[in-house]
Amino acid sequence: MPAVRVHDAQPDDDLFAYLARTGGDAARRGALIGSANEFKEGDAALGLAAADLASRAAARRLLANTPVGRLAAAPLFRDELYDALQETLDPRAAAHVATWSLGQLKNFVLTADEAEVCQHLPGLASDVVACLVKIMSDAELVTLGSRLFHPLPGSRLGARGYLGARIQPNSPTDHPDDIRWQVLAGWSYAVGDVVLGTNPVSSDPRSVAAVEAALWDILLGFGLQDTLPHCVLAHIDVQAEVERLAPGTTGIWFQSIAGSDAANATFGLDLAGLRRHARGRTGRWGLYFETGQGADFTNGHGRGVDMVVHEARKYGLARLLKADIADARRRLGLDPTPWVHVNDVAGFIGPEVFRTREQLVRCCLEDIAMAKLHGLMIGLDVCATLHMDIGLDDLDWCLERIAPACPGYLMALPTKNDPMLGYLTTAFQDHVRLRERFGTRVDDRMWAFFRERLGVVDERGRPTARFGDPVWVYVQWCRARGDARPLDLVAGEGRAALAAVRARGVAIGEGHGDRPWDLPPALDAEVRSQCADAKESLRAEWRPEFVARIPGARRLRTRAGDRDEYILHPPTGEALSPAALAELSGLRDSYAGRFDVVLVVSDGLNAHAVMDDHHLFPFLDVLVPELRAAGLALAPDVFVLAGGRVRAGYAVGAALFADQPGPRRLIHVIGERPGTMHHAFSVYLTAADGAAWAAPRAIDHHITRVISGVADTAYPPERAAREAVAMLQDMLPRSCS
């Protein structure tokens, strides 16, 4: 992609004066604003990265000279979300800063009293906030983060001197014991005070309800239901359905959000629906949002605008929804301050967004600053996928540089390696280390629980003999629920349950190494072994003898020339090669509309996940007769894609189903991110009529359902096959009309 060069900028030029003198339209303005960013691969892919350091410095000078009001009045793109964000700005606060240059605004937020700065925040447009962080150094972003705090009501979460934790008890199979024991383990290290938040394997409301119940049961047993919320990170509509079916069982509601109407539609969201949900959240817990730079453009909605601007608008959306909750509470005569926070998942997408640890730090610092400038309490998932050039020790380096910017909380897992999502993030031990290193504290209410009820830390906050002992916490939970059985019996039951959890691939440590923040040596070695296996799995390719065993296998290629191109440039894995398209065109004619279902098998990021024994073939052995019993005709060819991503499956469906009468269904088996013992695959299911298959972008993730974590050691392939057919029958075909 071309890079942005900034020539002949005069010392007094602002952005608009420079454009008037040198020529350029809105696209040129967007390129200049993008070129002020620190380099990231995502901006380079959009042609928005500066060509050199001189161009970046010049772009920053232009922005620094530009009046805030001019920036606010000239959006890079408009949609319904943008208009809503503008309508809800405080006009008096906006007018106060409108005549300032962006450089003056920067000096103000870095030097003025915190209370005075906070008075002006409601007048800062999201696009202005995005431009503001572009002209700040890393050190200035740290300074800003360490000056502004927006604690959650009635708590010290997000306050100065506090660093909280979201325990993320993910299970490869949504097993309640996997979830329960990760929470107990976290509490044994005095970690976990913001939210118990599980990413579910299945988005079926019944499965989500079961996970909600497991988390609720833990809180209820200890009497913590009014101290700490729980959350299952399913789509907000699914959470609403669970609450409708079982009132009072859900905690804080979650949703991933994007920075534009089109990108939010990818998540199956519209602004009106989000606002309706927000206005209904008038109880103890409000809403929990997740964001992340790069999600917009990687879903095809970059609009020629850089990642920082899109990210800023996500915080604008969170601020808008927070205000909606406050308004709804005020109308009911309640304290209007809502329990709302946001989590920036920086690094989850992959090297197409950014590749290095330095870029990860920059991204986190930008996002902390932007969220706080929107008046939000922000946490971080300082993370890396295993196909990035960031390792376990690199994450420690990153945390040392990010913690001084004072995020409200970080993720917390038994190890740095998530057992279900297969990516690297912060472990319980990282929290122990950061508390020691920076003198940060846990929210007072939960710290009292850790000290007085569990006894895992003493009055001075130092570890006791019970520190890192999840079985002890389990015994206390049983006692709190009225279990009076002998201690040895309850502890033995706990040890057996913990062993079963570990056997399912969820690594949970006990105790620590030489220091309280060191993993037990054996567990540390296990995690490093899994990471090494992940690096090898990323390079795995189809074995010819394996493909030959697949009945009706027909090999196709995407536009990815090799694994490097596939990993570093994901769009090449989303589009089919010309030869593949020509072959499918011929097959479409021969099929003559006789088949309801097409099966695609892709290597994804881990071909081993499909090729391992007892994975694909047990799935097919159940899938084929189940489809037949359901009256669904499966095409005789199984399309085996090399270098295939999820959208490549949609391309196969479009080539075969476009304009065909009646509902047409796609089953796409794809290797998941490596990094766990399971080598799991996912099954993506899409149903639509022929008109939708023919329409550009009508078929995308927003109408697709997924079964993840499929492996003989996790979610059994046979069970996944039955569920896939049942889900296909329940899915209403998407119509283009």
Side-chain angles (χ1 to χ4, degrees):
M1 296 293 295
V4 181
R5 297 187 180 277
V6 185
H7 296 296
D8 303 323
Q10 301 302 311
D12 294 332
D13 277 348
D14 68 16
L15 177 68
F16 295 96
Y18 177 77
L19 284 168
R21 186 165 53 77
T22 62
D25 54 10
R28 173 65 174 162
R29 178 160 49 91
L32 289 171
I33 290 175
S35 69
N37 288 342
E38 285 292 318
F39 177 81
K40 302 187 190 85
E41 274 71 21
D43 290 335
L46 290 167
L48 301 175
D52 47 49
L53 293 176
S55 293
R56 182 177 300 122
R60 288 178 173 177
R61 287 196 301 272
L62 294 175
L63 279 180
N65 290 340
T66 303
V68 169
R70 287 293 305 275
L71 284 171
L76 293 175
F77 69 92
R78 285 188 63 177
D79 59 6
E80 182 184 4
L81 172 58
Y82 173 82
D83 290 340
L85 299 184
Q86 293 300 106
E87 289 170 4
T88 53
L89 289 176
D90 181 329
R92 292 181 61 184
H96 189 84
V97 299
T99 59
W100 296 0
S101 71
L102 198 65
Q104 288 174 310
L105 179 61
K106 168 185 159 180
N107 183 65
F108 172 75
V109 299
L110 290 175
T111 60
D113 179 76
E114 179 184 6
E116 186 180 1
V117 173
C118 287
Q119 289 178 355
H120 291 77
L121 299 186
L124 296 184
S126 296
D127 288 14
V128 170
V129 170
C131 291
L132 181 60
V133 301
K134 293 169 187 282
I135 65 171
M136 290 186 176
S137 67
D138 285 8
E140 289 168 334
L141 292 171
V142 169
T143 297
L144 178 60
S146 66
R147 315 185 68 243
L148 297 180
F149 297 90
H150 308 288
L152 295 177
S155 79
R156 302 298 293 162
L157 297 168
R160 188 185 306 274
Y162 286 77
L163 178 62
R166 167 197 153 189
I167 293 184
Q168 182 170 292
N170 291 345
S171 165
T173 59
D174 283 346
H175 197 294
D177 276 354
D178 295 354
I179 294 164
R180 181 179 300 116
W181 276 93
Q182 289 180 78
V183 174
L184 301 179
W187 286 348
S188 77
Y189 290 99
V191 170
D193 57 342
V194 176
V195 61
L196 309 180
T198 300
N199 299 84
V201 172
S202 172
S203 58
D204 183 273
R206 292 164 297 184
S207 180
V208 171
V211 178
E212 293 271 12
L215 295 170
W216 176 244
D217 196 33
I218 300 169
L219 294 172
L220 206 60
F222 277 122
L224 295 172
Q225 64 272 19
D226 294 324
T227 301
L228 178 69
H230 65 292
C231 181
V232 177
L233 283 69
H235 192 282
I236 196 167
D237 291 342
V238 174
Q239 295 166 83
E241 175 65 8
V242 172
E243 180 65 23
R244 186 187 69 82
L245 295 172
T249 62
T250 62
I252 193 168
W253 285 10
F254 158 86
Q255 185 56 55
S256 290
I257 55 175
S260 67
D261 295 337
N264 276 315
T266 303
F267 298 139
L269 301 172
D270 66 86
L271 183 58
L274 275 173
R275 299 190 76 173
R276 280 194 301 272
H277 280 307
R279 289 166 182 148
R281 301 299 295 157
T282 56
R284 175 77 174 90
W285 316 116
L287 289 172
Y288 164 29
F289 303 110
E290 284 196 349
T291 73
Q293 289 192 31
D296 309 82
F297 97 85
T298 56
N299 279 300
H301 300 293
R303 301 282 296 261
V305 175
D306 68 86
M307 298 190 297
V308 171
V309 170
H310 281 286
E311 184 73 8
R313 292 196 183 187
K314 297 169 197 175
Y315 301 126
L317 174 54
R319 178 172 66 182
L320 170 66
L321 297 173
K322 179 182 177 182
D324 282 344
I325 300 175
D327 183 61
R329 289 178 60 87
R330 188 179 295 108
R331 291 173 186 271
L332 293 173
L334 302 172
D335 179 348
T337 311
W339 190 284
V340 171
H341 59 88
V342 62
N343 175 37
D344 169 37
V345 187
F348 187 73
I349 296 175
E352 62 268 35
V353 175
F354 50 81
R355 297 181 196 171
T356 68
R357 64 183 191 174
E358 290 80 9
Q359 291 180 43
L360 175 56
V361 168
R362 176 69 189 189
C363 176
C364 290
L365 296 179
E366 290 169 346
D367 295 352
I368 291 170
M370 289 193 289
K372 291 192 174 190
L373 288 168
H374 280 87
L376 298 167
M377 194 279 233
I378 180 173
L380 293 177
D381 193 345
V382 184
C383 61
T385 64
L386 285 152
H387 56 307
M388 296 171 71
D389 293 330
I390 297 174
L392 294 166
D393 297 329
D394 292 317
L395 284 185
D396 291 346
W397 182 91
C398 292
L399 290 171
E400 293 285 328
R401 284 148 184 81
I402 293 166
C406 302
Y409 63 98
L410 299 172
M411 297 300 100
L413 287 79
T415 76
K416 279 186 168 70
N417 191 18
D418 187 289
M420 187 268 276
L421 294 174
Y423 77 119
L424 303 180
T425 184
T426 42
F428 301 148
Q429 286 75 12
D430 292 313
H431 285 266
V432 178
R433 175 172 56 85
L434 292 172
R435 290 198 302 245
E436 178 74 15
R437 170 75 172 82
F438 295 103
T440 51
R441 301 174 61 186
V442 170
D443 186 52
D444 297 344
R445 299 164 304 166
M446 285 302 293
W447 189 252
F449 170 73
F450 298 143
R451 185 184 67 243
E452 298 166 10
R453 181 66 183 81
L454 299 184
V456 297
V457 290
D458 63 21
E459 292 294 331
R460 298 172 56 205
R462 308 306 299 175
T464 69
R466 301 298 186 182
F467 186 80
D469 185 352
V471 174
W472 167 256
V473 181
Y474 174 76
V475 170
Q476 302 313 301
W477 181 61
C478 292
R479 291 285 186 258
R481 301 166 79 215
D483 189 339
R485 291 177 296 164
L487 175 63
D488 289 348
L489 182 62
V490 178
E493 176 183 87
R495 282 189 288 271
L498 183 55
V501 170
R502 289 174 175 145
R504 287 191 291 270
V506 179
I508 294 179
E510 296 178 83
H512 51 79
D514 292 338
R515 299 169 297 186
W517 52 86
D518 289 338
L519 272 181
L523 184 55
D524 182 67
E526 178 183 338
V527 172
R528 292 181 184 278
S529 175
Q530 289 176 346
C531 291
D533 174 72
K535 298 297 185 183
E536 191 277 327
S537 295
L538 283 164
R539 298 291 168 180
E541 300 190 46
W542 293 127
R543 295 192 301 269
E545 62 273 18
F546 170 82
V547 176
R549 291 176 56 200
I550 302 174
R554 185 181 287 268
R555 297 193 65 166
L556 301 175
R557 289 205 65 88
T558 63
R559 292 180 179 268
D562 56 27
R563 290 299 290 178
D564 281 336
E565 185 173 24
Y566 172 76
I567 291 169
L568 298 177
H569 302 289
T572 64
E574 297 178 342
L576 299 176
S577 69
L581 288 171
E583 188 170 346
L584 290 170
S585 177
L587 283 172
R588 171 189 164 90
D589 294 338
S590 67
Y591 282 2
R594 291 176 289 130
F595 305 110
D596 306 304
V597 183
V598 161
L599 176 62
V600 176
V601 178
S602 289
D603 47 7
L605 289 172
N606 186 2
H608 289 320
V610 182
M611 293 190 296
D612 280 359
D613 292 340
H614 313 301
H615 279 203
L616 179 65
F617 295 113
F619 177 82
L620 295 180
D621 288 345
V622 173
L623 179 75
V624 174
E626 287 282 327
L627 287 171
R628 188 181 305 117
L632 297 173
L634 177 65
D637 298 287
V638 176
F639 299 98
V640 182
L641 291 181
R645 292 183 181 266
V646 176
R647 287 194 176 97
Y650 303 152
V652 173
L656 295 172
F657 290 152
D659 294 321
Q660 295 285 344
R664 305 288 165 167
R665 297 169 172 88
L666 175 77
I667 302 174
H668 189 178
V669 173
I670 185 167
E672 287 186 343
R673 300 181 187 215
T676 73
M677 63 167 275
H678 299 291
H679 285 180
F681 64 86
S682 290
V683 183
Y684 287 81
L685 306 164
T686 311
D689 64 19
W693 283 109
R697 298 202 68 84
I699 308 298
D700 210 335
H701 305 330
H702 63 294
I703 66 165
T704 294
R705 297 178 69 180
V706 62
I707 305 167
S708 58
V710 184
D712 61 331
T713 55
Y715 197 78
E718 300 87 348
R719 180 179 170 188
R722 294 187 183 93
E723 183 178 350
V725 176
M727 289 172 67
L728 278 179
Q729 290 177 290
D730 289 342
M731 292 171 69
L732 292 175
R734 172 64 174 241
S735 174
C736 188
S737 59

